[in-house]
Amino acid sequence: MNMPFVNELTTALDTDQIADLRSNVRGQVILPEDAEYESARLAWNLAVNQHPALIVIAADADDIAAALRFAALVDLDVTVQATGHGVARPATDCLLLITSELKGVQIDATARTAWVEAGVKWGAVLNAAQAVGLAPLLGSSPGVGAIGYTLGGGMGWLARKYGLAADSVLRFEVVLANGEKVSTSPTENADLFWALGGGGGAFAVVTGMEIKLYPVQTVYGGTLIYPAAAAREVLQFFREWSRYLPNEWTTSVAIMNLPPLPELPPFLSGQSVVMVNACYAGETRIGQMMAQAWMDWQAPLVNGFHEMPFSEVGTISNDPQDPMPGTSSGAWMNDLSDDAIETILRFALPAGGPPTLVKTEVRQAGGAMAITDTYERAYSHRQAPFVLQMVGVSPTPEAVEAVMSHARQFKAALGSHLTGGTYMNFLEGEEKYTSTRQSFEGDKAELLKGIKAKYDPLNRFNRALNLLPDSNGPFNKRPR
Ligand SMILES: Cc1cc2nc3c(=O)[nH]c(=O)nc-3n(C[C@H](O)[C@H](O)[C@H](O)COP(=O)(O)OP(=O)(O)OC[C@H]3O[C@@H](n4cnc5c(N)ncnc54)[C@H](O)[C@@H]3O)c2cc1C
């Protein structure tokens, strides 16, 4: 239970200004003393504990503009939240701008595009697109926000075939920190469009995006489950199997320490297992032939590979849908050598006590993600062959620190098997913020700082990434 919170900033906010804001928005303006505050300040990730000075639940793009003009007037920082799956620094002492009510999705089946508003979760785009035989480039969970995911890059089960979600954006409509609405595309405000393509949510509030859709109705894949005792051999076999796969396959291997849950069968409840997750976006018969290598090598405990409508792609990872407290860390990998595998086994499997991590997943990268030119978008590290993600359940601040400490040791032990780069979508909390530089390669962080200085000169959106507007200043200080 959190203690009631008295926010000094809120008490300083002028009641007339708040009344003006309330009369200027169709959505809700919520202050700490309001009954709705305790539920409105929650993120999907229940480990996030944030106490905004005020909350605006926008009903439309005009509300977003009004909220940003208000923030400028009273000099408040702004944090944007669609679902709260990917919070960096919590929205404390600032304006929390919630976009979840902007739920519009429009499909143009002829042009194979979709218009997606700021509060839309991927599941809604998936359903609307599948109804006309098309597919968006969603990630493992249909519950994740489409725009937050895309701003970070967006690597899903079609990534090696069709690339990142960020590579399939045709246009972003945004509201700038000063409340001005602008359009961004390769021909309009192209620098901002470049930054939003994997550069994160620190530049403007995206009110909607136009994205490409792809003709995918059926895929082959799912999950193979092997016993933890075979983890070493499964990771080694995964490395060899995935090495020559065509881009129709997007794959991963995950060591899971499953919690004891009544809904799980006894052989999984409270057990450690290795899962091979995969999606083949091609002819099922061919996919089956290529997957047969696993069955010939060693029969899994469960063979969950099957043909499925793409609308069921969320069942491959089966991510939690209900809010939960979690901590995630990750890093790009140079290789999945035997030495890297030994380190993964050491840190991913429980060592005599309760496991620190629920999931340690190595996703295969490359394919269509890697053929796009490095400087086409802000998104970085396209050439790394694998990306590692570690996830722990963390209901208390101590548990968050325990997971992060374990993740830090894990990454240190992997040493040169890591590239040194991070994928911002797989980071959460303070690490997402402090790893800003590692999320971008070459001089991209400097380029992003310049773009931020142009579009958000007062660093209003300063909780998502550490990008100072002053390109000559120290990287870790605010400008005011
Ligand atoms: C269960 C789960 C599964 C996931 N699977 C994948 C996956 O398969 N592939 C992958 O790449 N990532 C994956 N992610 C990571 C996810 O893409 C990021 O956490 C993403 O930031 C979530 O976006 P959101 O809008 O849902 O979350 P939020 O926490 O609401 O937003 C995250 C950040 O995005 C920015 N943002 C959101 N909306 C806007 C907007 N309208 N304008 C400007 N900035 C905005 C803000 O900076 C905000 O802090 C997963 C995360 C979870 C928890």
Side-chain angles (χ1 to χ4, degrees), residues 45 47-48 85-90 326-329 400 404 424 426-436 463-465:
N45 186 343
V48 174
H85 275 80
V87 177
R89 286 196 157 167
T327 299
S328 169
S329 181
V400 172
M404 284 314 301
M424 86 168 75
F426 287 172
L427 305 181
E428 269 166 1
E430 190 62 17
E431 192 190 22
K432 187 170 182 177
Y433 180 85
T434 55
S435 298
T436 299
R463 309 295 166 100
L465 288 177

Side-chain angles (χ1 to χ4, degrees), residues 252-301:
S252 81
V253 63
I255 295 179
M256 305 290 299
N257 300 310
L258 297 163
L261 293 173
E263 58 267 34
L264 291 174
F267 75 98
L268 292 179
S269 180
Q271 301 299 312
S272 298
V273 290
V274 196
M275 293 184 174
V276 178
N277 300 311
C279 177
Y280 179 73
E283 207 183 315
T284 292
R285 192 178 48 88
I286 310 284
Q288 265 167 341
M289 277 164 50
M290 287 189 268
Q292 186 59 35
W294 282 102
M295 321 310 153
D296 295 345
W297 173 69
Q298 189 176 317
L301 294 173

Side-chain angles (χ1 to χ4, degrees), residues 310-334:
F310 189 70
S311 57
E312 291 175 13
V313 69
T315 62
I316 297 179
S317 298
N318 233 341
D319 287 333
Q321 293 300 304
D322 292 335
M324 58 162 288
T327 299
S328 169
S329 181
W332 288 104
M333 298 186 74
N334 279 320

